[in-house]
């Protein structure tokens, strides 16, 4: 499964995918990383892995249209089977969502549909929720609202702050995201009309893992 990762930052999820592909999941074939930031650490991870690292800063283009057109062309040249959003801080335009329908995944640090959007750690603490976590979902034109595939759940403790929550959630992400990609590479996971489909079953609810099951 030719896999292209889109990222804006450190790329620890990308690294977890690279590591899983290199040891134990030969079906996942990372073939490139693309970033909207020149200085994204994730691009360095791609270079180290010997795969194309493409920097596409928005500021290099006169308008959003020409920028996205070039991104689409660069992606096409990599012939991806799947696009993996891993800390990509941009919203995919509808044309790209349509071109790769059912072939774009994202990981979002909350138990969707709770807390779509930004600052999920701050918001979960302010709300006093007892549970937080992360969700892998298919990307559609509706932000953070495509069919959910899997979640990792962590208990919010009295002593938790944004940093401790982030560290625990990300440790779960590094196991969860490669696992979901593995399902896809094995032909077990597809996107249906309303829900994700895993092993022939409609996932009206995502598969939920507890922190202790993943770490
Ligand atoms: C992840 O925690 C993910 O949930 C969110 O962005 C973060 C990216 O981290 N969408 P990294 O770049 O993979 O380290």
């Amino acid at each position: 499964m030719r896999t292209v990762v889109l990222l804006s930052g450190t790329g620890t999820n990308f690294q977890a995918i690279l590591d899983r592909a290199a040891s134990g999941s030969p079906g996942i074939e990372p073939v490139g990383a693309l970033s909207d930031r020149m200085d994204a650490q994730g691009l360095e991870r791609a270079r180290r892995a010997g795969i194309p690292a493409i920097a596409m800063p928005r500021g290099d283009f006169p308008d959003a249209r020409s920028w996205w057109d070039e991104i689409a062309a660069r992606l096409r040249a990599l012939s991806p089977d799947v696009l993996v959003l891993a800390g990509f801080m941009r919203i995919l335009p509808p044309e790209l969502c349509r071109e790769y329908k059912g072939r774009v995944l994202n990981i979002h640090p909350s138990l969707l549909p709770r807390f779509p959007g930004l600052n999920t750690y701050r918001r979960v603490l302010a709300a006093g929720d007892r549970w937080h976590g992360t969700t892998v979902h298919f990307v559609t034109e509706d932000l953070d609202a495509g069919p959910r595939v899997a979640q990792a759940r962590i208990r919010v403790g009295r002593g938790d702050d944004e940093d401790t929550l982030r560290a625990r959630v990300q440790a779960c992400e590094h196991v969860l995201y490669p696992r979901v990609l593995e399902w896809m590479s094995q032909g077990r996971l597809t996107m249906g009309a309303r829900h994700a489909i895993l092993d022939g079953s409609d996932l009206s609810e995502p598969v939920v893992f507890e922190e202790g099951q993943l770490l």
Side-chain angles (χ1 to χ4, degrees):
M1 182 173 75
R2 294 177 63 83
T3 304
V4 175
V5 177
L6 280 71
L7 50 83
S8 302
T10 52
T12 60
N13 277 282
F14 174 41
Q15 189 64 55
I17 292 163
L18 285 170
D19 293 347
R20 188 74 195 126
S23 66
S25 267
I28 303 170
E29 187 191 356
V31 293
L34 183 145
S35 179
D36 58 322
R37 295 186 56 107
M38 208 74 169
D39 58 353
Q41 205 187 319
L43 290 178
E44 189 49 41
R45 298 178 192 276
R47 286 182 208 109
R48 252 188 275 136
I51 61 175
I54 302 166
M56 296 282 291
R58 164 72 180 82
D60 288 1
F61 293 81
D63 51 42
R65 184 61 196 262
S66 56
W67 178 55
W68 279 114
D69 282 351
E70 183 61 20
I71 289 177
R74 300 295 289 269
L75 290 174
R76 246 173 252 133
L78 295 168
S79 313
D81 294 310
V82 60
L83 300 181
V84 172
L85 311 190
F88 187 57
M89 302 305 287
R90 302 279 182 166
I91 297 172
L92 284 200
E95 309 82 61
L96 264 186
C97 292
R98 283 197 290 271
E99 182 173 346
Y100 293 95
K101 189 174 174 196
R103 299 191 291 139
V104 189
L105 289 170
N106 181 40
I107 192 160
H108 178 80
S110 79
L111 298 172
L112 290 172
R114 198 116 173 92
F115 306 122
L118 299 174
N119 302 318
T120 62
Y121 300 105
R122 191 182 317 155
R123 287 156 68 203
V124 80
L125 288 168
D129 286 13
R130 298 174 70 186
W131 294 94
H132 191 46
T134 190
T135 305
V136 177
H137 65 96
F138 282 105
V139 172
T140 61
E141 291 172 41
D142 306 318
L143 182 66
D144 294 334
R148 295 167 302 159
V149 179
Q151 293 183 326
R153 238 166 57 120
I154 68 168
R155 181 112 195 175
V156 180
R158 277 185 206 287
D160 273 315
D161 56 24
E162 285 187 49
D163 290 340
T164 60
L165 283 182
R166 183 180 296 103
R168 289 169 60 205
V169 163
Q170 289 192 340
C172 290
E173 291 185 329
H174 299 159
V175 182
L176 186 71
Y177 215 180
R179 184 171 299 181
V180 169
L181 281 173
E182 203 166 85
W183 293 342
M184 213 173 183
S185 74
Q186 293 164 344
R188 297 170 57 191
L189 175 68
T190 54
M191 185 174 90
R194 290 184 53 215
H195 301 132
I197 299 170
L198 181 64
D199 295 330
S201 299
D202 226 51
L203 295 182
S204 53
E205 291 298 325
V207 180
V208 178
F209 295 97
E210 303 293 335
E211 186 174 22
Q213 292 177 286
L214 293 175
L215 304 182

